[in-house]
Amino acid sequence: MKRAAPGELAPVLYHQTVASFSMPEWAVAAGYDGVILDLQHGELGLEAACGILRSIPRDNAYAYARVGSLDPAPILRLLDSGARGIVAPTVESRSRAEALVAATKYPPAGNRSLGPSRPALYPGDSYTGAGNRAVSAVAQIETRAGVDRAEEIVSTPGLDSVYIGPADLAVSHGLPGRGDWEDGPVREAIAHLREVTAAHGVTLGIYSGRPEYAAGLLADGLIDYVGLGIDLVLLNRAFGDTIAGLDSARSARSNS
């Protein structure tokens, strides 16, 4: 994940938890830049995720996948299918960040096996060099312990980005699992992670379910990109809004 250049829009992705090939296409058509296929939560499995990745155009730099663990085998499958970023959950130590880089990058930066199974995935003079530039290793920091060890995590060679999970971070502080904190330890953690990532040339993103909250973080220069919404939550909201528009007519009919 590269920081947007002056004049460029900050990237916006969404979390996908269901096995839909058409949803990324609809999201991009609506203005999203890409997707985080979520294999940690929801019903999306490895086979479906690999198929979805192959359906996304190669030039989309924001076809990401969040894995449930740092097992290199499924990470390799996702990368060979075209994932441009691997998001590792609950990174709380330098060793986990190093394991993420090792699974995501080709030697000498990491240990990713060379087995291209999708043609022209990384064009350039050096396939491995182009692959390492094209693929982002993203450490998700979502606990108090991760924030406390931010310096050792963010300074890991080969790490490209940090992604904040604000609701879990709030829970780790004994707070309700909300994501839209304007003050308190979660907001302080966001500011701290901004300082640490900026010092090491690493980008910073966050999950948010509220566009106005994410807009404020972007305006304040605290984040570089956002994961905005989850497919099922967005669908639930659309279902609710749609059926609510018929409530008065249904009520009037039932009272007649």
Side-chain angles (χ1 to χ4, degrees), residues 174-198:
L175 298 169
R178 285 184 15 231
D180 54 351
W181 296 91
E182 299 288 355
D183 53 25
V186 175
R187 184 71 175 212
E188 292 167 3
I190 295 171
H192 175 61
L193 290 170
R194 170 78 288 174
E195 292 179 2
V196 177
T197 54

Side-chain angles (χ1 to χ4, degrees), residues 5-25:
E8 291 183 345
L9 297 176
V12 180
L13 296 77
Y14 76 100
H15 283 244
Q16 181 169 326
T17 64
V18 297
S20 168
F21 285 81
S22 59
M23 199 170 293
E25 186 176 29

Side-chain angles (χ1 to χ4, degrees), residues 52-68:
I52 294 168
L53 286 168
R54 288 178 180 273
S55 74
I56 297 174
R58 291 180 184 84
D59 60 355
N60 188 315
Y62 304 111
Y64 281 24
R66 181 166 71 173
V67 293

Side-chain angles (χ1 to χ4, degrees), residues 40-41 140 142-144 165-173 177-178:
Q40 182 189 20
H41 297 293
Q140 182 159 339
E142 51 188 336
T143 63
R144 186 173 185 172
D168 281 314
L169 182 53
V171 170
S172 75
H173 281 277
R178 285 184 15 231

Side-chain angles (χ1 to χ4, degrees), residues 58-193:
R58 291 180 184 84
D59 60 355
N60 188 315
Y62 304 111
Y64 281 24
R66 181 166 71 173
V67 293
S69 74
L70 287 171
D71 181 353
I75 291 175
L76 180 61
R77 289 275 315 276
L78 292 164
L79 291 172
D80 283 351
S81 295
R84 290 302 180 102
I86 296 295
V87 182
T90 323
V91 175
E92 297 180 326
S93 66
R94 175 70 171 256
S95 62
R96 283 185 64 80
E98 289 174 339
L100 167 64
V101 173
T104 305
K105 304 288 187 177
Y106 290 117
N111 296 323
R112 179 184 173 186
S113 173
L114 179 61
S117 62
R118 192 173 175 187
L121 189 55
Y122 310 127
D125 294 337
S126 168
Y127 187 86
T128 57
N132 284 349
R133 290 189 296 272
V135 173
S136 294
V138 185
Q140 182 159 339
I141 293 182
E142 51 188 336
T143 63
R144 186 173 185 172
V147 174
D148 289 344
R149 298 183 184 128
E151 182 67 34
E152 67 177 73
I153 293 170
V154 176
S155 61
T156 301
L159 187 73
D160 298 290
S161 186
V162 166
Y163 189 60
I164 302 171
D168 281 314
L169 182 53
V171 170
S172 75
H173 281 277
L175 298 169
R178 285 184 15 231
D180 54 351
W181 296 91
E182 299 288 355
D183 53 25
V186 175
R187 184 71 175 212
E188 292 167 3
I190 295 171
H192 175 61
L193 290 170

